[in-house]
Amino acid sequence: MIRFLALSLCASSAAAESGLAAWLRYAPLQGGESYHSSLPSHIVALNTSSASPVYVAGQELQQGIQSIYGKQCNVHHSYDGASSSIIVGTLDEYTKAYGSLSNPPNLIEDGYWLNTEGNTIQILGKNERGALYGTFAYLSMLAQGNLTKVAYSSNPNAPVRWTNEWDNLDGSIERGFAGNSNWFANGVIVSNLTRTAEYARLLASIGINAVVVNNVNANASLLTPQNIEGLGRIADVMRPYGVQVGISLYFSSPTSGVKGQANLTTFDPLDESVVAWWTNVTGQIYQQVPDMAGYLVKANSEGQPGPLTYNRTLAQGANLFAKALQPHGGIVMFRAFVYNNLNETDWYADRANAQIQFFKPLDGEFDSNVIIQIKYGPIDFQVREPASPLFANIPKSNAAIELQVTQEYLGQQCHLVYLAPLWKTILDFDLRVDNESSLVRDVVSGQRFNHSLGGYAGVVNVGTNDTWIGSHMAMSNLYAYGRLAWDPTLDSQYVLQEWIRLTFNADQSVVNTMTQISMESWPAYENYSGNLGEQTLTDILYTHFGPNPQTQDNTVWGQWTRADHTTIGMDRTVSNGTGFAGNYPPEIAAMYENIATTPDNLLLWFHHVNYTHLLHSGETVIQDFYDQHYAGAATAQTFATMWESLKGKIDDERYYDQLFRQVYQAGHSLVWRDAISNFYNNISGIPDAAHRVGNHPYRIEAESMQLDGYKPYTVIPFEAASNYTAIVTSSNTTTGTAQTMITCPSGTYDVAVNYFDQFGGHSHFVVSLNNVTIGEWTANLKPWIGSSEGPRVLGHTPSIYIDGHSATRITFSNVTVAKGDMLKIVGTPNGIEPAPLDYVSLLPLGIVD
Ligand code: GCU
């Protein structure tokens, strides 16, 4: 039984926290002094080189024990006879110094042995990195007040545990929601790499062993001699943490005129000059980065060049790099995300089939240092997808799973969505290859098909923001990613609670509240974005943020819903559809082929049905759409309220920052709910049996108010505004007024105002009752003026339009309203933003609409 010492003593840390320290805060435990005698006094780190992970481990132990328990330990580099020590080093170094352990642990690369049972604590790695991992595991226990005696070994589930960072050389980050790059600016690698080193430390603490530092949509000029030198500097600051550098390559670099490199007329992977070019450049890189992890390649995908241009196979393309890397020990992560544009009028066309079509025939043709990097689902990081069947179809090839830590399609860090439960649906999925257990996690570990290479790639996209990823709570996803890549059998909630105790504190109500919000967050988001396997019904042509279901269809991108007036869903059956279901091994194929055995949460992924089709739950598809969208948004309202219960239990800085986000999410979840419900209500013509959709008794539509300097505006897409209509100021320079007399009974109300916050302008709004201001704010995704907690920026991809991305709600609580009062909103436009307003809701307490 694990004991968490001092937890009852552990109060909130009042000091403001920026988030920079993430889960490595080493927060002082109250009463820590009373445990000094049970803690060692000396640290022996069996390496004297300050650039070695073992040396770093010694420093971490010293810093951690001092900070958490207030005990000062000395660090030594050889055994000096002192008792009560922690000895950290490789198993080999330990054995040389002290002789063999009586029961030597069975360690693989990066694994460690942690023994706190004896007088000396042993933290021994198979390699130096492993020793550092063991150190962080021990410090994690200490920081959680857990002084239980343990003796165990821990080995990673898979050798490849990488992050992918989509940083561009100009300093921007594709699908990054936390500021600019920490390592690139203006086409080169920056000189100050302090944050880069700090990031490596964070990653080491969760077992990540490499970072691919540039975008998969790569830029050839990464390969200039100046940038190669810069990669060497990045590698130098990450190396002490056992984190290696990898890079994404632009396939046609040889013809791109890279400054300082030869320029060829071909990038044909079989051309000798091309082979020599890559061999030479690879050699240059290894001179600067002797331990470079390898290359990540996105080829013949979404406009990226690749071997198909020369009628060479993707395997020939991958092997070009594999051969260049092989003498240096590097590996190629070759992305399976390859597809062509398709025509929706072809009933049998299906983007989900593309990876099988491209890669299955090539199984066995990839060199042994190539790993096929496969997104978890067949499409693209959607709120729910079935496991990619490619995991079952390339048994002769090494495979890795690509997860997305940054929430591109899942709320962009402005909606709290704890992703570990989603990832677990894939990792724990049994593909039943040859009718035998074939869990996805066992495929990528290499265990199922006997490969020594395989693992995990997590698209993280940290930026310069203090929170790293864009919001404090979203960091649970990075933590969980690392922990699951190390051990995918871990329970999502267990990992989450570890993270909460380390990142905030161990107060039981803090742990319980954050756990409840986080564990309910993905189901809630799925319910109000796209349930029944419909994917995230966002704007796939623009920001990937707010609702816009019609963008899925009539495009070449193949993320289709095939929704019409009576039916919806992709028929992916073999018998009548695209045949995708048949890509799975027989047991699974049979399950998805048959509508009766397809789970409701993937129904529309596999089947095309009437809106009136009955689910296993007994509800119709359309009514379930309405019900789940209402239920999901209702759950999101509770997050803000639950978060408020944490006031005083965590530091104010993080409390207010997250509160701002939870309030925003509560409002935007209603935008989602209404947009999706209205869209399908409109297209199907089937009313909501519960009379909620299109029926909002508490709303005053802005266009129905008395307008002066404002005019009605028809919003596109229509479902992004209540009653399809907003109001905008008559010009971009003159103020507008919308007013109306209150007709509801006198009482106390929450006054919610739905407006649009476009990128490119900061309109100002003042709401008053009988000319007494009840609130004012500026539409720049910061809190309302008068709030002491701002300014804050949400960080999602901005929209310049009046649409589902810019639709926002602000609420003024507990306002005393009398029948006959004059409600007035004055909007002052700014920039391109014409102070757009949608509606006002006067909500009796406890009602949200
Ligand atoms: C998504 C994402 C792109 C990215 C691509 C990829 O489509 O929107 O920004 O480049 O995935 O993974 O390559």
Side-chain angles (χ1 to χ4, degrees):
M1 159 108 185
I2 297 177
R3 286 181 310 140
F4 292 107
L5 296 178
L7 294 193
S8 56
L9 301 172
C10 176
S12 66
S13 107
E17 299 207 29
S18 67
L20 200 57
W23 51 84
L24 293 180
R25 295 156 56 245
Y26 299 146
L29 278 185
Q30 282 188 19
E33 317 78 58
S34 49
Y35 300 100
H36 280 196
S37 59
S38 29
L39 290 164
S41 307
H42 300 272
I43 295 160
V44 184
L46 296 172
N47 195 328
T48 54
S49 160
S50 61
S52 72
V54 163
Y55 185 96
V56 167
Q59 302 297 306
E60 278 294 329
L61 286 164
Q62 185 182 42
Q63 182 196 337
I65 292 170
Q66 159 72 45
S67 177
I68 303 165
Y69 289 91
K71 180 167 183 177
Q72 184 66 45
C73 300
N74 298 318
V75 182
H76 314 262
H77 296 290
S78 59
Y79 190 55
D80 66 352
S83 61
S84 177
S85 313
I86 306 174
I87 301 174
V88 57
T90 61
L91 189 54
D92 283 353
E93 286 301 320
Y94 180 90
T95 308
K96 270 190 228 155
Y98 311 110
S100 300
L101 293 177
S102 51
N103 223 342
N106 197 4
L107 298 182
I108 63 171
E109 289 303 303
D110 295 355
Y112 63 84
W113 160 251
L114 173 61
N115 181 358
T116 66
E117 284 177 346
N119 279 339
T120 54
I121 290 175
Q122 297 156 343
I123 309 179
L124 307 177
K126 171 77 178 175
N127 51 22
E128 290 230 352
R129 189 149 64 194
L132 182 57
Y133 293 162
T135 298
F136 279 119
Y138 177 56
L139 282 166
S140 170
M141 288 177 67
L142 294 186
Q144 294 177 71
N146 177 4
L147 294 181
T148 318
K149 299 285 182 203
V150 293
Y152 70 91
S153 56
S154 181
N155 285 313
N157 176 261
V160 171
R161 303 177 307 279
W162 294 15
T163 73
N164 291 180
E165 313 287 339
W166 290 354
D167 294 40
N168 297 312
L169 267 62
D170 65 4
S172 61
I173 303 178
E174 181 155 339
R175 315 297 177 193
F177 311 108
N180 282 338
S181 172
N182 286 298
W183 40 84
F184 293 119
N186 305 318
V188 294
I189 291 162
V190 298
S191 51
N192 182 349
L193 292 173
T194 311
R195 281 287 297 262
T196 305
E198 288 168 358
Y199 186 43
R201 173 172 171 256
L202 274 185
L203 295 182
S205 73
I206 49 171
I208 299 297
N209 56 9
V211 176
V212 175
V213 293
N214 64 312
N215 193 352
V216 281
N217 298 314
N219 187 324
S221 58
L222 182 69
L223 302 177
T224 63
Q226 185 189 2
N227 279 334
I228 291 177
E229 179 274 333
L231 290 172
R233 286 188 290 113
I234 294 181
D236 288 348
V237 303
M238 290 193 166
R239 189 172 296 112
Y241 298 98
V243 179
Q244 291 168 259
V245 165
I247 58 173
S248 298
L249 294 183
Y250 188 60
F251 200 91
S252 62
S253 295
T255 60
S256 301
V258 181
K259 224 163 115 190
Q261 307 291 0
N263 197 29
L264 308 183
T265 53
T266 175
F267 59 90
D268 178 353
L270 297 193
D271 187 285
E272 273 177 26
S273 66
V274 173
V275 173
W277 196 95
W278 283 111
T279 306
N280 174 288
V281 167
T282 303
Q284 291 175 33
I285 297 171
Y286 274 96
Q287 262 182 3
Q288 297 291 333
V289 189
D291 54 354
M292 209 246 320
Y295 293 148
L296 172 62
V297 182
K298 173 177 179 178
N300 290 115
S301 162
E302 298 185 332
Q304 294 294 303
L308 302 183
T309 307
Y310 295 94
N311 279 331
R312 309 302 187 194
T313 67
L314 293 170
Q316 286 168 326
N319 294 343
L320 164 72
F321 304 113
K323 289 190 169 53
L325 288 164
Q326 200 275 333
H328 307 281
I331 57 181
V332 183
M333 303 293 284
F334 198 80
R335 294 181 91 225
F337 187 64
V338 181
Y339 63 95
N340 292 324
N341 292 347
L342 297 169
N343 186 340
E344 192 170 352
T345 60
D346 177 358
W347 180 255
Y348 302 103
D350 190 356
R351 169 170 160 188
N353 282 331
Q355 297 177 12
I356 299 287
Q357 285 158 357
F358 280 109
F359 285 88
K360 186 174 175 164
L362 299 175
D363 192 30
E365 292 180 22
F366 292 96
D367 283 2
S368 60
N369 58 336
V370 175
I371 300 180
I372 309 303
Q373 181 168 316
I374 306 168
K375 288 191 183 186
Y376 60 81
I379 296 285
D380 193 9
F381 302 136
Q382 299 299 294
V383 70
R384 188 183 290 270
E385 295 189 50
S388 171
L390 193 57
F391 292 114
N393 279 283
I394 47 168
K396 294 185 196 139
S397 312
N398 303 311
I401 187 167
E402 183 174 314
L403 303 172
Q404 203 182 36
V405 178
T406 189
Q407 297 167 228
E408 175 184 350
Y409 286 95
L410 289 112
Q412 306 193 346
Q413 279 84 300
C414 302
H415 292 234
L416 172 63
V417 184
Y418 177 53
L419 295 168
L422 182 168
W423 298 335
K424 291 283 278 184
T425 64
I426 307 289
L427 293 170
D428 294 346
F429 189 77
D430 189 347
L431 290 156
R432 306 295 302 162
V433 179
D434 297 332
N435 305 321
E436 283 175 28
S437 169
S438 309
L439 306 182
V440 170
R441 63 176 195 246
D442 293 335
V443 173
V444 300
S445 72
Q447 191 190 317
R448 176 63 181 86
F449 298 122
N450 294 319
H451 296 295
S452 56
L453 275 183
Y456 292 76
V459 180
V460 185
N461 301 353
V462 290
T464 48
N465 187 281
D466 276 354
T467 64
W468 292 100
I469 201 165
S471 97
H472 297 290
M473 289 300 281
M475 282 291 272
S476 60
N477 290 324
L478 177 54
Y479 185 84
Y481 168 66
R483 299 286 285 125
L484 291 177
W486 184 271
D487 181 359
T489 66
L490 288 174
D491 173 66
S492 308
Q493 180 166 313
Y494 172 87
V495 171
L496 173 72
Q497 295 192 334
E498 229 176 43
W499 174 81
I500 295 168
R501 285 191 292 266
L502 294 169
T503 306
F504 291 94
N505 61 57
D507 179 302
Q508 203 51 50
S509 61
V510 171
V511 174
N512 291 347
T513 303
M514 291 191 185
T515 300
Q516 191 180 345
I517 297 175
S518 300
M519 293 306 291
E520 289 180 359
S521 62
W522 171 54
Y525 188 84
E526 178 180 25
N527 281 344
Y528 64 74
S529 61
N531 61 321
L532 297 180
E534 255 312 55
Q535 311 173 77
T536 313
L537 293 167
T538 187
D539 191 332
I540 64 160
L541 303 178
Y542 189 35
T543 64
H544 296 192
F545 179 62
N548 195 347
Q550 60 268 55
T551 61
Q552 318 277 310
D553 289 294
N554 306 311
T555 73
V556 295
W557 297 105
Q559 286 181 230
W560 304 322
T561 70
R562 292 195 183 279
D564 61 21
H565 293 301
T566 49
T567 56
I568 184 168
M570 282 290 289
D571 187 337
R572 292 188 157 110
T573 61
V574 175
S575 54
N576 186 50
T578 72
F580 170 80
N583 292 329
Y584 290 93
E587 287 180 44
I588 306 302
M591 173 177 74
Y592 289 142
E593 181 74 15
N594 185 343
I595 204 162
T597 50
T598 303
D600 281 349
N601 59 28
L602 283 171
L603 175 74
L604 302 179
W605 225 92
F606 284 101
H607 301 281
H608 184 75
V609 298
N610 286 322
Y611 290 109
T612 51
H613 172 84
L614 283 186
L615 303 169
H616 298 303
S617 69
E619 203 45 88
T620 62
V621 164
I622 189 74
Q623 191 57 41
D624 190 72
F625 251 53
Y626 300 146
D627 291 350
Q628 299 314 330
H629 281 79
Y630 270 79
T635 303
Q637 309 307 308
T638 68
F639 296 165
T641 321
M642 278 194 271
W643 189 265
E644 282 174 342
S645 74
L646 300 175
K647 175 86 178 111
K649 296 181 176 169
I650 62 172
D651 60 287
D652 276 1
E653 187 171 357
R654 291 184 295 174
Y655 169 80
Y656 281 115
D657 192 82
Q658 192 61 33
L659 180 62
F660 167 58
R661 283 163 195 284
Q662 295 307 154
V663 169
Y664 172 80
Q665 179 176 2
H668 202 230
S669 70
L670 298 175
V671 172
W672 268 99
R673 177 197 78 182
D674 292 348
I676 303 300
S677 301
N678 284 332
F679 180 80
Y680 289 103
N681 179 243
N682 180 278
I683 196 172
S684 71
I686 301 175
D688 167 24
H691 307 296
R692 296 156 300 188
V693 178
N695 180 20
H696 304 285
Y698 305 100
R699 287 186 189 176
I700 304 168
E701 295 294 340
E703 64 274 18
S704 73
M705 294 167 83
Q706 188 187 321
L707 305 181
D708 181 11
Y710 259 125
K711 60 182 182 191
Y713 174 88
T714 305
V715 172
I716 299 173
F718 73 87
E719 70 276 9
S722 192
N723 195 36
Y724 324 146
T725 316
I727 59 169
V728 296
T729 50
S730 312
S731 88
N732 272 37
T733 48
T734 50
T735 293
T737 303
Q739 52 186 334
T740 191
M741 188 177 293
I742 301 285
T743 56
C744 62
S746 302
T748 303
Y749 292 84
D750 287 343
V751 179
V753 183
N754 273 57
Y755 66 103
F756 298 87
D757 188 346
Q758 297 162 260
F759 185 70
H762 298 329
S763 307
H764 188 72
F765 299 89
V766 181
V767 193
S768 62
L769 275 176
N770 292 341
N771 287 326
V772 176
T773 300
I774 59 167
E776 62 179 297
W777 74 99
T778 299
N780 59 354
L781 294 174
K782 290 175 185 166
W784 47 102
I785 290 175
S787 148
S788 56
E789 303 89 47
R792 295 172 206 284
V793 178
L794 281 172
H796 63 77
T797 307
S799 165
I800 58 169
Y801 303 109
I802 295 174
D803 59 16
H805 321 300
S806 58
T808 310
R809 166 174 285 206
I810 190 165
T811 305
F812 303 97
S813 302
N814 293 317
V815 180
T816 307
V817 177
K819 189 170 179 178
D821 279 356
M822 187 57 81
L823 171 75
K824 183 162 82 178
I825 304 184
V826 178
T828 307
N830 175 266
I832 66 159
E833 191 178 69
L837 280 170
D838 189 359
Y839 64 91
V840 180
S841 278
L842 290 185
L843 301 164
L845 300 189
I847 298 223
V848 178
D849 190 22

